[in-house]
Amino acid sequence: MVSSLKELIEESELVHVDDPEERFTISGVSWEIYEALLAKLEDNSHYRVTYLDGVLEIVSPSIRHEKVKKNLAMLLEHYMYIKRINCIPMGSTTFRNKAKKAGAEPDECYCIGEEKSIPDVAIEVNLTSGNLDKLETYRRLGVKEVWMWKTNGLYLYYLREETPKQFIDTYGYERIDTSELLPELDISLLSRCALITNSLECIDEFEQGLKNKDNSTELR
């Protein structure tokens, strides 16, 4: 990982790094420098960049991080296909708002139903602790649901307040157990299957879990 923002911007060739996941944080960064960095990294999908109130965080994800991320995306997209839910995958698109001094690149994100300028769901895989609170960043961007992978499972948050009053500690987001946008999705099943390294076994286990849930519902 580079040791300074100047080194990162001026580096002639950005290369992938090995595990483990690395983070680089610097404060006092102007919006113009942030956008210059995004332009520099436009053709390099390895780094994830977050900006909030002049603080810039750059993450170089580990292989484990990418495996969890890919499994979550694969299973979620498979679920929405078999349930005939229209979704627009937006991957790690950069979303930013200069007026609110916020910008982020989710690990994965989706619009549900129809395409929008801001995704309905943003997924963040956090294997190491960051210095920026992603919930505050996503609140400023207007993302409805944020799914955060911590340790070995998903934690879901739904945006209740544009100006935090009741949910101050979570920046206006309420911690929820079930997605309000995908209420029938079994989050514990999704989390469990996302840890299966074999992709075929991962999908098979997920499909079997969905069938078991459907059969259980029919018997009630």
Side-chain angles (χ1 to χ4, degrees):
M1 193 65 156
V2 295
S3 59
S4 71
L5 182 60
K6 183 175 184 293
E7 180 184 344
L8 179 62
I9 294 176
E10 295 182 351
E11 191 174 9
S12 59
E13 183 178 357
L14 295 168
V15 296
H16 288 194
V17 299
D18 296 327
D19 277 0
E21 186 166 289
E22 296 185 71
R23 289 179 184 270
F24 170 69
T25 305
I26 186 171
S27 59
V29 178
S30 69
W31 186 265
E32 290 70 26
I33 293 296
Y34 166 56
E35 291 199 320
L37 177 61
L38 293 178
K40 175 66 179 179
L41 297 176
E42 185 176 3
D43 297 324
N44 188 300
S45 61
H46 184 66
Y47 294 104
R48 299 282 187 275
V49 182
T50 305
Y51 182 92
L52 183 65
D53 291 333
V55 179
L56 186 75
E57 182 180 80
I58 305 167
V59 178
S60 174
S62 65
I63 293 175
R64 180 175 173 237
H65 174 286
E66 294 297 276
K67 286 181 177 178
V68 171
K69 181 199 85 158
K70 286 295 185 183
N71 275 1
L72 287 171
M74 175 178 65
L75 294 174
L76 186 55
E77 290 168 24
H78 184 68
Y79 172 82
M80 288 193 276
Y81 174 77
I82 62 177
K83 294 296 183 180
R84 311 307 293 167
I85 298 171
N86 188 45
C87 77
I88 296 87
M90 302 178 80
S92 296
T93 301
T94 301
F95 301 96
R96 53 191 185 272
N97 187 316
K98 183 177 180 180
K100 296 186 178 181
K101 300 178 181 179
E105 297 171 348
D107 284 306
E108 297 287 345
C109 61
Y110 299 88
C111 290
I112 308 297
E114 60 183 9
E115 187 169 354
K116 309 172 185 73
S117 59
I118 296 296
D120 295 306
V121 177
I123 299 176
E124 287 279 343
V125 177
N126 295 328
L127 300 184
T128 58
S129 298
N131 295 315
L132 286 180
D133 198 308
K134 295 293 181 69
L135 287 178
E136 171 64 1
T137 306
Y138 284 121
R139 179 189 70 82
R140 295 191 192 183
L141 294 173
V143 177
K144 292 180 181 178
E145 279 193 8
V146 180
W147 298 9
M148 289 192 172
W149 180 274
K150 301 177 183 179
T151 311
N152 291 319
L154 281 167
Y155 292 74
L156 274 58
Y157 300 87
Y158 191 86
L159 184 59
R160 299 292 185 197
E161 303 169 325
E162 292 185 6
T163 302
K165 294 179 181 178
Q166 180 179 355
F167 303 103
I168 296 176
D169 292 341
T170 48
Y171 302 96
Y173 283 88
E174 180 185 9
R175 170 78 190 282
I176 56 177
D177 295 322
T178 301
S179 169
E180 296 205 3
L181 299 174
L182 300 169
E184 296 183 1
L185 175 61
D186 188 332
I187 299 299
S188 62
L189 173 65
L190 178 63
S191 298
R192 185 173 74 251
C193 292
L195 292 170
I196 301 174
T197 55
N198 183 293
S199 60
L200 294 178
E201 292 178 3
C202 175
I203 294 178
D204 287 345
E205 181 74 17
F206 186 65
E207 286 190 337
Q208 187 58 52
L210 293 178
K211 290 178 182 177
N212 291 342
K213 182 179 180 181
D214 289 342
N215 290 338
S216 175
T217 301
E218 290 176 0
L219 291 174
R220 290 177 186 174

